[in-house]
Amino acid sequence: KRKYTVLRTALILPSENIFDRSRMAPKTPIKNEPIDLSKQKGCTPERNPITPVKIIDRPQPDPWTPTANLKMLVSAASPDMRDREKKKELFRPIENSEQSDTPDSLQCDIVDDSMVDDFEKQRPSRKQKSLGLLCQKFLARYPNYPLSTEKTTISLDEVASILGVERRRIYDIVNVLESLHLVSRVAKNQYSWHGRHNLSQTLKMLQEAGELQYGELMTFQHREQDLEYKFEERKKETIPQSQDRPLLDFSEPDCISASAHSRKDKSLRIMSQKFVMLFLVSKTKIVTLDIAAKILIEETQDTVDHSKFKTKVRRLYDIANVLTSLGLIKKVHVTEERGRKPAFKWIGPVEFPGKTDELRGHSPTSDPLPGTQRGACAQYQTCTTGKQRFTRHASFNSAQPCEAARRKVSSEPNSPRQERQACEMETILNAAKNSNTTSPFSLAPVPGDSDFCVNPLPQAVFPVVQADMPSFSLPIGISSQASHPSTTASSKTENGKPTLVPSQPFLCFPSSSLFMLCGGLQEKNLSETPPTAGDMANRSAEAQAAVPPAAYQKRSSHKCSLPSAPVDDEEPAAKKQSLEQSDLPLSLVVPKMPSESPEAESSPGSDCSSAVHLETYRLDLTSPAAPETANKESTKPLVCQEQEKQSQNKDVDEPPAVNEHISKENANQPFQPQYLYVQPTAGLSSFNFLFSTNQAPGAISLAANQLPSLNVPCVMVPSAALASFPLVCAPSFTSPLSPVPDASAAVSTNFSMSSLASTTPVFISAPAVVTPKVSPTPSVDPQQPAHPTLHLSPVLTRSCSAVKVDSPVCMGHPVTLLKLQQPSSAPLTPKNIRPAHHETFFKTPGSLGDPVAWKKNEGNQTRNASSVQRRLEISSTSPD
DNA sequence: GAGTCCCGCCATGAG
DNA sequence: CTCATGGCGGGACTC
């Protein structure tokens, strides 16, 4: 009965969870514990928190129940439902999250009553009250990748009441989330939800900052002892100014007038950032609490008294709990001589494709894109200040800009804090860099623009190639579409920022060489990519037409959301996404994938899915049969975990061949569309075009509606003609297959990879496997959907992870990897080559020469693409 | 007994 | 003074 009621409520109140407390309350029952209720300030007392548990649980069981389907639908439609479902999940201990997903449903049913009873009976165990769980619940309420259009505001009171906890707890969560820019404070008692759009950027920033700050330490990190030792040493040596401190402090001064240093300035937030930095800097990606505590304490104080230490550790636990629920870290134990120590391992994205470097100055020289680039360039804010010089990806800024916008627009009261936050990151970085930053943010375009304010998701705008941001970079991905309507919006909004066309399925590369891309991306992209709601809808329609059934279906569910999304406030869309994404957090938990594989670079959620897929593909690649795996994935829910498993295997399989990726992916994906790159000759002098062989041109063109540039699909080139040319197949991306919303990142990477390869006519494929197959006239035929070629070809998506390793290959270093016909032997000029997202790639000094240049190139790519797009756009239509 | 971390007192600041 | 924040650490709960 409860279930039904719940459903009803959900149905009735589809729009938002957040706002209606009364409504929400029922849901929230989660609070098993009466305790909380009492505490709560009359928030949702009506409901007995006690029993609620059951309710929560119930929802899930459905799979088998007749209502299950209904539920599913409902959940899709209504956020509330979703929330509940999530809650259910939440109930499990965080640790279990990994397991969860699929099993849950079953378990739930079975367990349900009994379990529930237990719950009820057993007073809420401590675990159930844990911050981590609470955080999961909290996160479940919001989409990982909210649409740009939807602004989600979080009312602390509401949330607290809904979740049945004290506000104080919410502060803990929010502060940590804030440190990662997942949320930002808008006003008193109000935060705005940004989601993970900027996460990768934020992490990147933190990584860089961390390297500056802790790099030394972490270098030796193998052993805590060593680390500690180092730390001590360093401390003694550098202690002086305590760079660390400055970092923290800096933020405020820069951004805000010094005025706002309230209260140690949110030590929790800062601590959180530092803590994350440690992970990012750590080679092992494992950080023990004591070390972290010591390091953090030391920074602050020379004296480390025990109590202080204990307190610090407690705080770290708090932070760790939140990070765990975010899927960024997981608890592990490290055994030392001393014994077994609690520690946490970073399982989030490790590599950030678009490191600041990329962003950093794109050297003017490399940029081929002139005017058009502007737009792209605009996206990046380049700050040159003395030493510092880094460009920010708009996305990165997005959060901040948003804040700024808010301030301006809403003129909300909390200026100082907001500013602070905004500045924090930069400050940190700056501090780390030692430079006095000229407010980088200031540079950021956003703030000034009212538009931004209007559009909550500036980030979306940058569909650009950056591998970093999965969501951002690749608009193509379904997820991107769904999740990032903003992209379209961004295109619109952004004045000059043509950038990537988020939706655009094709990428243009400067190099003259031709590439074949195989992938289902386009379709997906087309359909899904559409950023704006309207666009999205249109595209979706188009896409649907074009999209292969399988893909379509998957998406279809998602798509559905799209159309509806606009109506509901933020919630709906978010919720929609959340459905997909919601899993992510848990899935994220997955240990291996993210942490180790660079692929993860992109945001965890999306990344996971994408990355995972890719990896799996790799393995598959070897065997033509691969498709199976692909299917699995596709069929698989969004859950990363499963993928993880596969991924693990994958990882083992192949090291890092970029080529491989390409080929693999394609192969794996059953119906992926194939794309062809056409050299510049086509019309764009310097640019190459990608065509989707498979897709019907019409479909593509349709897409154009929304994004003219995107549409430009390119000329269709007869496969036969191409046959003679070296082709690079890049799996457009797996995303389509994967239900996972955020595959975009992967996609982008792929492209980049392809581009690199493209420079050289050489055919890139995984060492052993793919190449041969691909090379020949790949399935040029557009119409051949799932040709073997596909399998062979592109694996780019995967590249993300592999990229690093691969990079060398791409570089033209004939690593074993390059077995293909033409190894990189063909001199790949850096320019031509498109560095993978991974910096590592480029870093190779010798060949590359100027690392910076490489980076620039990367940036250029995007630019190029954007520019091209722009051109296209211009010709075809004016987006705005 | 160590590890966790919940809970809520109370300081801090803004209004 | 009130209210929003959030530092902090006692001590309970887990393992």
Side-chain angles (χ1 to χ4, degrees):
Chain A
K1 293 180 181 178
R2 281 189 181 176
K3 291 180 182 178
Y4 293 108
T5 32
V6 171
L7 291 177
R8 283 187 182 181
T9 53
L11 294 175
I12 296 171
L13 316 174
S15 53
E16 68 285 39
N17 325 331
I18 299 171
F19 295 85
D20 288 12
R21 184 179 297 171
S22 59
R23 295 176 184 177
M24 295 305 288
K27 300 176 181 178
T28 49
I30 303 167
K31 267 315 183 162
N32 313 337
E33 319 145 15
I35 300 168
D36 294 352
L37 296 179
S38 62
K39 294 177 181 179
Q40 298 176 355
K41 304 172 179 179
C43 296
T44 49
E46 318 107 72
R47 286 284 174 147
N48 242 342
I50 301 169
T51 50
V53 177
K54 247 193 184 175
I55 296 172
I56 296 166
D57 293 345
R58 294 246 159 180
Q60 287 195 342
D62 316 4
W64 309 112
T65 62
T67 49
N69 293 336
L70 177 63
K71 219 185 182 182
M72 297 289 286
L73 296 177
V74 173
S75 65
S78 76
D80 294 2
M81 288 299 293
R82 226 186 268 161
D83 292 354
R84 285 180 188 154
E85 292 179 359
K86 293 199 172 182
K87 290 177 182 178
K88 303 171 187 176
E89 293 178 0
L90 295 180
F91 285 174
R92 306 170 196 164
I94 298 170
E95 301 101 300
N96 300 343
S97 61
E98 296 175 358
Q99 305 169 349
S100 60
D101 285 359
T102 51
D104 294 353
S105 60
L106 297 179
Q107 293 178 350
C108 292
D109 293 347
I110 298 170
V111 176
D112 232 5
D113 299 342
S114 62
M115 292 302 286
V116 174
D117 293 348
D118 293 354
F119 273 42
E120 294 178 357
K121 293 177 181 178
Q122 312 169 352
R123 51 192 172 209
S125 67
R126 231 189 177 205
K127 283 186 178 178
Q128 291 171 11
K129 296 181 183 177
S130 74
L131 219 184
L133 233 184
L134 180 63
C135 183
Q136 283 190 28
K137 294 175 186 176
F138 179 91
L139 293 174
R141 301 178 55 74
Y142 311 96
N144 288 327
Y145 300 91
L147 301 179
S148 59
T149 53
E150 51 181 335
K151 296 181 180 178
T152 304
T153 55
I154 301 171
S155 165
L156 295 184
D157 289 324
E158 283 186 11
V159 175
S161 64
I162 293 172
L163 297 180
V165 298
E166 313 170 49
R167 248 172 156 212
R168 182 71 196 72
R169 300 282 107 7
I170 301 298
Y171 281 124
D172 290 337
I173 294 172
V174 168
N175 281 327
V176 175
L177 295 179
E178 199 177 7
S179 71
L180 296 178
H181 292 171
L182 265 59
V183 302
S184 63
R185 196 182 122 118
V186 175
K188 127 186 170 180
N189 205 344
Q190 280 218 324
Y191 280 77
S192 82
W193 173 257
H194 300 310
R196 296 173 184 250
H197 289 297
N198 300 327
L199 184 58
S200 61
Q201 282 293 319
T202 302
L203 293 177
K204 186 198 300 180
M205 298 291 279
L206 288 175
Q207 186 177 48
E208 292 182 358
E211 287 174 359
L212 294 177
Q213 266 197 63
Y214 309 107
E216 314 167 10
L217 296 178
M218 295 325 239
T219 310
F220 306 87
Q221 174 189 358
H222 279 312
R223 297 208 157 190
E224 296 177 356
Q225 293 181 343
D226 293 345
L227 194 159
E228 293 180 30
Y229 173 74
K230 277 291 177 187
F231 178 74
E232 295 298 333
E233 276 190 347
R234 192 193 85 162
K235 210 174 155 195
K236 296 173 183 175
E237 296 174 356
T238 45
I239 297 174
Q241 44 307 59
S242 61
Q243 302 169 343
D244 305 347
R245 283 199 157 190
L247 294 179
L248 299 180
D249 297 350
F250 249 96
S251 59
E252 298 174 356
D254 292 350
C255 302
I256 308 170
S257 48
S259 62
H261 294 274
S262 50
R263 280 219 168 191
K264 305 189 175 176
D265 216 14
K266 302 190 178 177
S267 68
L268 191 68
R269 202 204 291 155
I270 293 171
M271 259 184 85
S272 171
Q273 291 186 333
K274 289 186 175 181
F275 190 43
V276 169
M277 279 188 228
L278 293 177
F279 283 107
L280 295 175
V281 174
S282 162
K283 291 185 178 178
T284 60
K285 299 301 174 193
I286 295 176
V287 176
T288 61
L289 289 180
D290 14 339
I291 291 179
K294 286 183 182 176
I295 293 175
L296 295 180
I297 292 175
E298 320 256 346
E299 293 180 353
T300 314
Q301 310 173 348
D302 293 332
T303 60
V304 182
D305 62 81
H306 189 62
S307 64
K308 198 84 182 177
F309 179 81
K310 281 183 64 178
T311 299
K312 212 72 178 178
V313 171
R314 275 196 289 245
R315 254 5 97 206
L316 285 175
Y317 274 118
D318 292 341
I319 295 169
N321 280 327
V322 174
L323 294 178
T324 298
S325 54
L326 279 172
L328 295 177
I329 64 174
K330 71 173 181 178
K331 188 175 180 182
V332 297
H333 287 282
V334 295
T335 47
E336 296 182 347
E337 309 82 45
R338 302 172 187 173
R340 189 179 174 214
K341 282 186 172 182
F344 287 89
K345 179 176 182 177
W346 183 258
I347 58 172
V350 176
E351 294 291 328
F352 308 98
K355 297 221 159 181
T356 50
D357 301 350
E358 294 179 355
L359 299 181
R360 255 177 211 168
H362 19 323
S363 58
T365 55
S366 62
D367 286 336
L369 310 181
T372 49
Q373 286 181 343
R374 290 280 160 242
C377 294
Q379 292 179 342
Y380 298 85
Q381 306 291 340
T382 309
C383 303
T384 14
T385 310
K387 299 176 181 178
Q388 296 175 341
R389 176 190 181 183
F390 57 84
T391 313
R392 289 195 161 200
H393 190 280
S395 60
F396 176 79
N397 295 339
S398 62
Q400 298 171 343
C402 293
E403 294 179 0
R406 292 174 199 154
R407 294 179 221 153
K408 294 179 180 179
V409 175
S410 59
S411 67
E412 296 187 4
N414 41 341
S415 56
R417 286 190 182 177
Q418 292 177 344
E419 291 177 359
R420 260 189 248 153
Q421 290 182 343
C423 299
E424 279 186 0
M425 290 299 296
E426 291 182 357
T427 26
I428 293 172
L429 291 177
N430 295 338
K433 294 182 179 180
N434 303 335
S435 53
N436 356 336
T437 10
T438 44
S439 55
F441 283 168
S442 60
L443 297 180
V446 179
D449 298 352
S450 59
D451 293 355
F452 283 97
C453 300
V454 174
N455 300 336
L457 304 182
Q459 350 147 6
V461 177
F462 328 80
V464 185
V465 180
Q466 325 240 335
D468 317 354
M469 333 198 10
S471 61
F472 300 120
S473 57
L474 301 183
I476 298 166
I478 296 170
S479 60
S480 63
Q481 294 177 343
S483 58
H484 312 282
S486 58
T487 55
T488 50
S490 63
S491 62
K492 297 176 181 178
T493 19
E494 299 169 355
N495 313 342
K497 306 179 175 179
T499 68
L500 316 183
V501 177
S503 58
Q504 94 181 96
F506 304 96
L507 296 180
C508 296
F509 301 88
S511 67
S512 62
S513 61
L514 296 180
F515 299 93
M516 278 286 296
L517 296 182
C518 300
L521 298 180
Q522 315 154 343
E523 296 173 354
K524 299 173 182 178
N525 295 340
L526 294 178
S527 62
E528 297 172 352
T529 24
T532 57
D535 293 350
M536 293 181 66
N538 296 342
R539 289 184 181 179
S540 63
E542 295 174 356
Q544 292 176 352
V547 177
Y552 179 90
Q553 291 177 346
K554 293 178 180 178
R555 295 173 183 177
S556 61
S557 61
H558 300 294
K559 289 178 180 179
C560 297
S561 63
L562 295 177
S564 62
V567 176
D568 302 21
D569 297 350
E570 335 133 6
E571 301 299 15
K575 293 178 179 179
K576 295 174 181 178
Q577 295 175 349
S578 67
L579 293 179
E580 299 170 353
Q581 297 172 346
S582 60
D583 298 351
L584 294 179
L586 297 179
S587 60
L588 294 182
V589 175
V590 178
K592 296 180 179 180
M593 293 297 298
S595 60
E596 299 167 357
S597 61
E599 313 134 37
E601 36 183 1
S602 58
S603 65
S606 61
D607 297 354
C608 292
S609 64
S610 63
V612 173
H613 292 291
L614 295 178
E615 291 179 357
T616 54
Y617 288 113
R618 283 185 178 180
L619 297 178
D620 297 349
L621 292 179
T622 55
S623 63
E628 295 177 354
T629 56
N631 294 342
K632 293 178 181 178
E633 293 177 351
S634 63
T635 56
K636 289 180 180 178
L638 321 177
V639 178
C640 299
Q641 295 175 344
E642 293 178 356
Q643 295 175 347
E644 290 178 350
K645 298 173 183 177
Q646 296 176 349
S647 67
Q648 294 175 351
N649 298 339
K650 309 160 190 175
D651 294 350
V652 174
D653 299 358
E654 299 181 352
V658 173
N659 301 336
E660 299 172 356
H661 306 299
I662 298 167
S663 62
K664 293 176 181 178
E665 287 181 353
N666 291 342
N668 294 341
Q669 300 175 349
F671 39 74
Q672 298 173 345
Q674 299 174 343
Y675 296 87
L676 298 179
Y677 275 109
V678 177
Q679 290 181 340
T681 54
L684 304 184
S685 57
S686 59
F687 302 84
N688 295 329
F689 293 92
L690 294 179
F691 304 100
S692 66
T693 55
N694 296 343
Q695 294 177 340
I700 297 167
S701 63
L702 295 177
N705 300 344
Q706 301 171 346
L707 301 182
S709 62
L710 296 181
N711 295 345
V712 183
C714 326
V715 177
M716 296 294 294
V717 176
S719 60
L722 296 179
S724 61
F725 300 79
L727 299 177
V728 173
C729 299
S732 52
F733 53 66
T734 54
S735 60
L737 299 178
S738 64
V740 177
D742 313 334
S744 62
V747 174
S748 61
T749 52
N750 295 344
F751 285 103
S752 64
M753 292 299 295
S754 64
S755 65
L756 295 177
S758 66
T759 54
T760 51
V762 178
F763 193 12
I764 297 171
S765 64
V769 182
V770 181
T771 28
K773 296 175 182 179
V774 176
S775 60
T777 62
S779 56
V780 174
D781 301 2
Q783 299 172 340
Q784 294 175 346
H787 287 291
T789 55
L790 293 179
H791 302 290
L792 299 178
S793 56
V795 181
L796 295 182
T797 54
R798 184 178 182 315
S799 62
C800 302
S801 58
V803 176
K804 295 177 179 179
V805 177
D806 299 346
S807 61
V809 173
C810 295
M811 298 309 293
H813 302 287
V815 178
T816 54
L817 298 179
L818 300 179
K819 293 178 179 180
L820 300 181
Q821 305 115 342
Q822 304 173 346
S824 49
S825 60
L828 300 180
T829 55
K831 295 177 181 179
N832 297 342
I833 298 169
R834 231 285 187 265
H837 303 296
H838 305 283
E839 301 170 355
T840 53
F841 227 85
F842 305 93
K843 290 179 180 178
T844 57
S847 62
L848 298 181
D850 191 354
V852 174
W854 286 97
K855 294 177 181 178
K856 292 178 180 178
N857 292 341
E858 292 178 354
N860 292 344
Q861 252 197 336
T862 56
R863 297 173 187 171
N864 294 345
S866 65
S867 66
V868 173
Q869 293 175 348
R870 263 204 171 181
R871 291 180 182 177
L872 295 176
E873 291 178 359
I874 295 169
S875 63
S876 63
T877 350
S878 61
D880 297 359

